[in-house]
Amino acid sequence: MTSFLIFLGILAALVFWAVGIYNRLVNERNRVRNGFAQIDVQLTRRHDLIPNLVEAVKGYMKHERETLEAVISARNAASSSLEAAKADPANAKAIKDLGASEGALGSALGRLFALSEAYPDLKANQNMMQFQEELATTENKVAFSRQAFNDAVMGYNNSVENFPNNLIAGFFRFELASFLEIEAEEMREAPEVSF
């Protein structure tokens, strides 16, 4: 009888231990999702600003239709990638695709701002200056949100890979998350445009 009680005690301790690890993994995964939600807010704001920016620029840059279309196309691709990543922020492929599409969008915006330098009336336009300022502010917020997300991913991945957590993580199919890395160098900094 005593050995049976000892066995039950050990079994109960193992169950509580496994439940504790499982709950910690769930908490870490939820931190990743929360971190991505902050990125989602900022990227959605960025994506919403771009059509207004293009509209403000259209009247001045009539001969630059190709550049304007490239910006809108890149914005649409980035919005689609954001929606895919939003479905599962711990999905490594979705996060990598989001980083690539945001990099392409940053490059397209960089070309647009570079071209706008050739249009003095556009540089002096209040709407253009306001959109540029809002976009720069949003880029800074994206950078801070991306850092918080990547910190959450690191904590989660550490929890998934550390022993003995990896035994529970493997059993319940906790996959490693991917860092959000923006591939274009232009995106690593806020756009710098002088008006």
Side-chain angles (χ1 to χ4, degrees):
M1 182 72 167
T2 308
S3 58
F4 180 70
L5 289 176
I6 292 172
F7 173 75
L8 281 180
I10 292 172
L11 184 61
L14 286 174
V15 167
F16 283 119
W17 169 78
V19 167
I21 289 175
Y22 178 83
N23 287 340
R24 189 173 330 119
L25 290 168
V26 168
N27 290 339
E28 293 289 335
R29 183 174 57 195
N30 288 338
R31 281 189 189 99
V32 168
R33 289 178 177 158
N34 181 52
F36 187 80
Q38 303 308 314
I39 290 172
D40 176 42
V41 167
Q42 299 309 323
L43 289 180
T44 298
R45 176 175 161 68
R46 179 182 192 229
H47 298 163
D48 290 347
L49 284 171
I50 290 171
N52 296 328
L53 175 68
V54 169
E55 282 301 315
V57 169
K58 256 186 196 175
Y60 294 95
M61 299 177 80
K62 293 176 182 156
H63 305 292
E64 309 295 345
R65 187 154 196 65
E66 204 173 282
T67 301
L68 296 174
E69 289 173 357
V71 169
I72 291 298
S73 175
R75 181 253 183 209
N76 292 340
S79 291
S80 295
S81 294
L82 178 59
E83 289 302 314
K86 201 185 311 185
D88 184 9
N91 181 323
K93 183 182 179 332
I95 296 299
K96 286 182 183 179
D97 290 347
L98 176 61
S101 64
E102 285 297 325
L105 177 57
S107 294
L109 282 172
R111 286 191 303 277
L112 174 68
F113 288 137
L115 280 174
S116 71
E117 291 291 317
Y119 297 88
D121 291 340
L122 178 59
K123 287 174 33 177
N125 181 290
Q126 288 297 320
N127 285 340
M128 181 64 175
M129 291 182 349
Q130 179 185 357
F131 286 129
Q132 193 277 331
E133 179 61 34
E134 286 184 39
L135 198 55
T137 300
T138 301
E139 297 293 342
N140 289 334
K141 291 178 181 178
V142 167
F144 290 127
S145 297
R146 191 176 75 229
Q147 179 62 46
F149 172 75
N150 286 342
D151 289 345
V153 166
M154 183 180 64
Y156 169 73
N157 286 347
N158 285 343
S159 291
V160 168
E161 291 181 310
N162 286 338
F163 182 82
N165 295 5
N166 61 350
L167 301 174
I168 303 298
F171 183 76
F172 288 104
R173 300 184 196 277
F174 282 86
E175 301 292 327
L176 292 176
S178 183
F179 294 103
L180 177 59
E181 298 174 327
I182 307 299
E183 293 181 7
E185 279 300 314
E186 303 90 28
M187 254 314 271
R188 295 190 183 273
E189 301 174 7
E192 194 173 304
V193 179
S194 58
F195 284 100

